[in-house]
Amino acid sequence: MTDMTPEQTAALNERHRARMERKKAVIDAKIASADKEIGIVIVNTGNGKGKSSSAFGMVARALGHGMKVGVVQFIKGALSTGEETFLRRFPDEVSFHAMGEGYTWETQNRERDIAKAGEAWALARQFLSDPAIGMVVLDELNIALKYKYLDVHTVIADLLDRPVMQHVVITGRGAPPELVEIADTVTEMNVVKHAFKSGIAAQAGTEW
């Protein structure tokens, strides 16, 4: 920043104050109008890193507020992850289930993948019908829907029939438009750079 006279600095500070005052009025009005309290469906999708990482960050928040959490991982399950190892330390607060047998290019068995996805959804439905569970994480569900291992309309019906204050976080690339339509919050994560493309192996603590 270039040197300014005291008068210029004072003028700049005043413009900033006035701008922030106007911004606060707009934000306060939006907060006042957002007066509904209801469980929401959050979808994290896109090709960028961070979809599941964000979901498990929300798990930490939910636990901090005394909520019980149910986690069902679709596709994943062949390898233990850091989030699974950590969250299993809290069996009274978190019910964690890795129901897959690995990524589709590893399993190479569509019929078995469909069967495992069906088992995972049966468990997810139990969580989605339990008002004692404040948050349900359906990790990589979008992949199961993308490959049509599950019927998207059945999934949506179960989501809409859940307890009124229950939050659901869904992750995975390629979220179907039907799911995006009924979700309350949708974030698409895009790739800018990724270490793997530079030949850097997946690392414990950052990738799993």
Side-chain angles (χ1 to χ4, degrees):
M1 189 173 183
T2 58
D3 292 337
M4 293 190 296
T5 66
E7 292 78 10
Q8 289 171 325
T9 299
L12 177 63
N13 290 342
E14 175 57 25
R15 288 197 299 272
H16 175 80
R17 187 204 63 75
R19 187 165 60 250
M20 292 303 104
E21 183 179 54
R22 293 193 299 271
K23 185 173 183 179
K24 183 179 186 306
V26 171
I27 292 174
D28 286 349
K30 290 181 178 179
I31 291 173
S33 65
D35 57 356
K36 292 186 293 185
E37 290 193 10
I38 192 171
I40 63 173
V41 174
I42 299 170
V43 175
N44 294 337
T45 192
N47 294 330
K49 173 178 166 49
K51 297 178 288 295
S52 297
S53 303
S54 171
F56 288 109
M58 284 183 272
V59 168
R61 287 178 174 171
L63 293 175
H65 288 288
M67 297 181 190
K68 291 186 180 296
V69 178
V71 178
V72 180
Q73 287 190 312
F74 296 77
I75 311 300
K76 296 176 180 176
L79 297 174
S80 180
T81 61
E83 59 265 27
E84 178 181 1
T85 301
F86 177 73
L87 292 173
R88 287 196 186 282
R89 299 177 187 175
F90 308 96
D92 294 334
E93 293 85 11
V94 182
S95 184
F96 195 109
H97 301 268
M99 301 291 286
E101 294 182 329
Y103 290 103
T104 52
W105 61 85
E106 295 286 355
T107 60
Q108 301 177 18
N109 187 330
R110 184 172 182 273
E111 288 187 359
R112 185 162 178 82
D113 288 345
I114 291 172
K116 296 300 292 184
E119 292 173 14
W121 188 250
L123 179 59
R125 291 184 74 182
Q126 294 180 33
F127 291 149
L128 292 170
S129 63
D130 186 351
I133 297 179
M135 177 177 286
V136 179
V137 174
L138 303 173
D139 192 30
E140 303 292 357
L141 173 61
N142 290 337
I143 302 296
L145 293 173
K146 176 182 176 181
Y147 286 109
K148 302 189 184 303
Y149 295 166
L150 297 168
D151 176 65
V152 66
H153 300 292
T154 299
V155 166
I156 288 172
D158 290 336
L159 290 171
L160 296 179
D161 197 38
R162 73 190 192 283
V164 67
M165 290 305 299
Q166 187 181 78
H167 305 299
V168 182
V169 186
I170 299 169
T171 75
R173 301 182 182 202
E178 298 93 336
L179 181 62
V180 169
E181 178 66 26
I182 66 97
D184 300 289
T185 299
V186 180
T187 300
E188 184 172 5
M189 299 180 182
N190 297 313
V191 179
V192 177
K193 292 178 71 175
H194 198 294
F196 184 71
K197 292 185 177 180
S198 299
I200 300 174
Q203 307 287 317
T206 60
E207 301 295 336
W208 79 88

